[in-house]
């Protein structure tokens, strides 16, 4: 294999103001990697499923911004800090080809991020048998379609809905990553909290939580209460069926693509340090009590499982981050 050839540059700005109470750091960067290695699928006649090939040139560019403010007013101290980074990944060249993966739902193609989603474009539901009968073009066998099934856009405007109508959409790599925190202290009492999040990242759920009755499992509450019926035509989900009965509903499409962006409180801790004047008669050097929590709440539109786990894992078979609350005491003699 040829060695990768990466060229990069960055420009930065650092500032310390107001007697170092305020700090600001900004960096803008750009890098180009030639001879990027990709796992390329092979035809069955080759005797191997795939092979590594150095066939692509990839560009990454973005910025990082961070800042903090800390100050004290008599016995009260306070501070805030935060950072945000943005990265845009693009395949600049791929020898004119493309790489499909994960049952052809992920694609690496020139002009798009590595491993973008490659899916049909969902276009609502068929609301009646008449609509199915009069549709100019449908996906699959028209005689098997029923009201409540998904419709798909014919983006090529021809007489069939097939792979040529798929679109490239979404990122498996977050474009935005951010965090921020606060600190407050008064005499021996202090409060610290830290938050983090990501934006512009997508995942494609599969298995039991995404497909009703998968592997003999049941259904989620959404499938039970908000699937299509004649009295619920603007439902969140299509007609409740099994995958076997209605594979037309479960082909890879934008209907099942989910935004996995989130904001999470990672840590929060309330601490009290007892005054030393109270501890000296007891021959105690330091006494601190605290209560802390991790992952106590999360804001996200993604509700099937923990959005913080890797978005390339598309089922629920991965251990989530736990919510924990701890109460403790630190004692020094």
């Amino acid at each position: 294999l040829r060695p990768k050839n990466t060229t990069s540059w960055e420009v930065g700005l650092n500032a310390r103001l107001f007697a170092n109470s305020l700090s600001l750091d900004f960096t803008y960067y750009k890098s180009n990697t030639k001879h990027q290695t990709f796992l390329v699928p092979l035809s069955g006649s080759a005797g191997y499923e795939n092979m590594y090939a150095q066939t692509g040139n990839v560009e990454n560019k973005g910025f990082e911004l961070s800042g903090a403010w800390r100050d004290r007013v008599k016995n009260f101290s306070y501070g805030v800090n935060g950072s945000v980074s943005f990265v845009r990944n693009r395949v600049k060249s791929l020898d004119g080809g493309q790489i499909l993966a994960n049952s052809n739902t992920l694609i690496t193609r020139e002009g798009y991020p590595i491993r973008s989603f490659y899916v049909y474009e969902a276009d609502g539901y068929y609301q009646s048998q008449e609509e199915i009968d009069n549709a100019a073009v449908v996906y699959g066998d028209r005689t098997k379609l029923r009201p409540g099934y998904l419709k798909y856009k014919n983006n090529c405007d021809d007489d069939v809905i097939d792979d040529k109508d798929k679109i490239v959409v979404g990122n498996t790599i977050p474009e935005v990553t951010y965090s921020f925190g606060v600190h407050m202290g008064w005499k021996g009492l202090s409060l610290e909290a830290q938050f983090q999040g990501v934006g512009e990242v997508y995942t494609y759920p599969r298995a039991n939580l995404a497909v009703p009755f998968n592997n003999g499992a049941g259904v989620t509450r959404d499938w039970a209460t908000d699937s299509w019926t004649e009295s619920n035509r603007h439902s969140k989900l299509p007609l409740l069926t099994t995958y076997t009965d209605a594979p037309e509903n479960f082909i890879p499409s934008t209907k099942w693509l989910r935004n996995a962006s989130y904001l999470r409180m990672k840590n929060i801790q309330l601490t009290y340090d007892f005054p030393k004047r109270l501890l000296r008669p007891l021959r105690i050097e330091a006494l601190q009590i605290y209560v802390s929590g991790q992952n106590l709440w999360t804001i996200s539109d993604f509700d099937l499982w923990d959005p913080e786990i890797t978005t390339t894992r598309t089922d629920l078979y991965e251990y989530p981050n736990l919510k924990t609350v701890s109460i403790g005491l630190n004692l020094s003699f």
Side-chain angles (χ1 to χ4, degrees):
L1 294 177
R2 295 173 293 180
K4 288 194 297 185
N5 180 4
T6 300
T7 59
S8 63
W9 60 266
E10 65 178 45
V11 58
L13 173 67
N14 309 100
R16 302 293 182 268
L17 305 171
F18 306 110
N20 288 330
S21 292
L22 175 65
S23 62
L24 293 171
D25 298 281
F26 175 79
T27 302
Y28 179 82
Y29 63 89
K30 184 176 181 180
S31 69
N32 280 280
T33 300
K34 295 182 179 180
H35 313 314
Q36 177 72 51
T37 302
F38 292 105
L39 191 62
V40 180
L42 300 176
S43 63
S45 61
Y48 299 93
E49 292 184 358
N50 44 54
M51 65 172 289
Y52 287 98
Q54 290 180 309
T55 183
N57 296 340
V58 179
E59 177 187 85
N60 289 284
K61 62 180 179 180
F63 68 83
E64 298 176 356
L65 173 65
S66 62
W69 172 269
R70 284 189 173 272
D71 202 0
R72 173 180 290 274
V73 179
K74 296 184 179 179
N75 291 326
F76 178 69
S77 64
Y78 66 97
V80 294
N81 64 82
S83 66
V84 59
S85 65
F86 172 84
V87 58
R88 174 159 290 173
N89 168 271
R90 291 291 184 271
V91 178
K92 303 302 290 185
S93 66
L94 201 61
D95 293 340
Q98 62 186 26
I99 300 171
L100 295 170
N102 202 21
S103 301
N104 293 345
T105 59
L106 293 176
I107 190 170
T108 300
R109 174 186 283 180
E110 292 179 6
Y112 296 93
I114 293 175
R115 292 173 67 86
S116 297
F117 289 98
Y118 185 53
V119 293
Y120 290 92
E121 190 172 3
D123 191 26
Y125 309 128
Y126 292 108
Q127 298 294 347
S128 66
Q129 186 62 46
E130 181 181 6
E131 183 180 3
I132 295 171
D133 295 338
N134 294 332
V137 60
V138 300
Y139 176 86
D141 186 346
R142 190 187 301 263
T143 63
K144 293 182 178 180
L145 300 181
R146 297 165 57 190
Y149 277 28
L150 283 170
K151 297 189 296 184
Y152 304 99
K153 287 189 176 180
N154 184 18
N155 289 315
C156 288
D157 197 25
D158 53 16
D159 59 355
V160 64
I161 297 177
D162 56 16
D163 282 0
K164 296 191 295 296
D165 297 294
K166 287 184 175 181
I167 61 173
V168 182
V169 61
N171 300 299
T172 56
I173 302 171
E175 285 195 351
V176 180
T177 304
Y178 61 94
S179 65
F180 59 91
V182 295
H183 161 81
M184 291 183 289
W186 180 74
K187 295 186 177 180
L189 191 66
S190 66
L191 177 67
E192 301 261 2
Q194 194 68 31
F195 304 79
Q196 73 173 44
V198 299
E200 288 302 308
V201 60
Y202 292 82
T203 189
Y204 195 92
R206 297 177 184 272
N208 292 16
L209 290 182
V211 181
F213 309 112
N214 186 67
N215 291 327
V219 297
T220 62
R221 178 181 297 179
D222 284 345
W223 275 107
T225 62
D226 201 8
S227 56
W228 189 95
T229 64
E230 290 188 356
S231 60
N232 188 25
R233 294 176 178 270
H234 301 288
S235 59
K236 178 179 179 181
L237 296 167
L239 184 70
L240 179 58
T241 65
T242 65
Y243 176 87
T244 303
D245 289 338
E248 298 87 357
N249 273 340
F250 300 103
I251 64 172
S253 76
T254 54
K255 177 63 182 178
W256 310 116
L257 192 63
R258 297 288 298 272
N259 189 329
S261 303
Y262 70 88
L263 168 63
R264 167 166 286 173
M265 176 190 283
K266 285 300 295 180
N267 297 285
I268 185 168
Q269 180 165 309
L270 180 65
T271 304
Y272 181 69
D273 291 284
F274 285 83
K276 292 187 178 297
R277 60 182 175 79
L278 297 180
L279 302 177
R280 285 195 197 97
L282 303 174
R283 297 185 178 182
I284 297 175
E285 183 177 338
L287 176 60
Q288 179 191 79
I289 58 173
Y290 67 87
V291 57
S292 66
Q294 290 79 42
N295 306 315
L296 293 187
W297 61 261
T298 304
I299 299 174
S300 178
D301 289 335
F302 186 77
D303 55 4
L304 290 182
W305 58 81
D306 186 355
E308 192 177 348
I309 66 175
T310 173
T311 54
T312 56
R313 185 66 183 258
T314 56
D315 54 44
L316 75 164
Y317 308 125
E318 185 165 338
Y319 206 70
N321 290 284
L322 297 179
K323 293 181 179 180
T324 60
V325 176
S326 304
I327 299 174
L329 179 147
N330 295 319
L331 179 63
S332 300
F333 290 97

